[in-house]
Amino acid sequence: MATIQPVIITSDLDRLRTFYERLFGAMEVSRFPEDGPTFFVNLKLGDSELGLVNEAATDLSAPQRILLSVKVDDVNGLLDQAESAGGRVLGPSNDMPWGERVAHIHDPDGNKVNLTQPLR
């Protein structure tokens, strides 16, 4: 059995960790090292995990090739909170023909994040 864990490399680990905690209720489950400057933080979001790696030389202008998609209970409610958490809303949500409401945001580093919600 295989498991995939997305890991985001960032030049500002604390800012990115705070964004995912505030917007999605992520909980820190581990960090390395436990003492001293942090290199890696593992966050729990529902049934998933997201890793954050602190790398001061990260080029935030490099093209992104992976889209983080997060299934949530209320897309529109999170859109209202995204900017105050440090993100940027790219437009309103849309109901898609495959049965999901979808909205696009950027996290504080400019990473693309899809918010998805099953339509009832």
Side-chain angles (χ1 to χ4, degrees), residues 7-16 20 52-66 86 88 106-112:
V7 175
I8 300 174
I9 300 170
T10 181
S11 59
D12 192 337
L13 189 135
D14 289 334
R15 177 183 68 178
L16 212 55
Y20 285 97
L52 303 178
V53 170
N54 193 31
E55 176 61 52
T58 301
D59 180 4
L60 298 180
S61 68
Q64 179 182 348
R65 297 184 50 227
I66 294 180
R88 185 166 60 99
H106 280 170
D107 72 14
D109 280 2
N111 296 304
K112 296 174 188 169

Side-chain angles (χ1 to χ4, degrees), residues 98-115:
W98 55 82
E100 286 184 322
R101 177 165 293 139
V102 176
H104 308 284
I105 65 173
H106 280 170
D107 72 14
D109 280 2
N111 296 304
K112 296 174 188 169
V113 179
N114 269 359
L115 304 177

Side-chain angles (χ1 to χ4, degrees), residues 17-93:
R17 178 187 45 79
T18 299
F19 171 78
Y20 285 97
E21 288 173 346
R22 288 179 62 191
L23 192 60
F24 299 113
M27 303 277 296
E28 182 178 312
V29 292
S30 64
R31 66 175 43 227
F32 181 82
E34 291 184 21
D35 296 325
T38 304
F39 170 73
F40 175 81
V41 170
N42 192 37
L43 301 175
K44 183 91 168 156
L45 290 88
D47 293 336
S48 303
E49 292 185 2
L50 174 66
L52 303 178
V53 170
N54 193 31
E55 176 61 52
T58 301
D59 180 4
L60 298 180
S61 68
Q64 179 182 348
R65 297 184 50 227
I66 294 180
L67 173 67
L68 188 63
S69 187
V70 182
K71 190 175 288 186
V72 299
D73 293 329
D74 182 8
V75 165
N76 292 331
L78 285 182
L79 279 179
D80 292 340
Q81 300 173 38
E83 291 190 1
S84 66
R88 185 166 60 99
V89 175
L90 301 179
S93 65

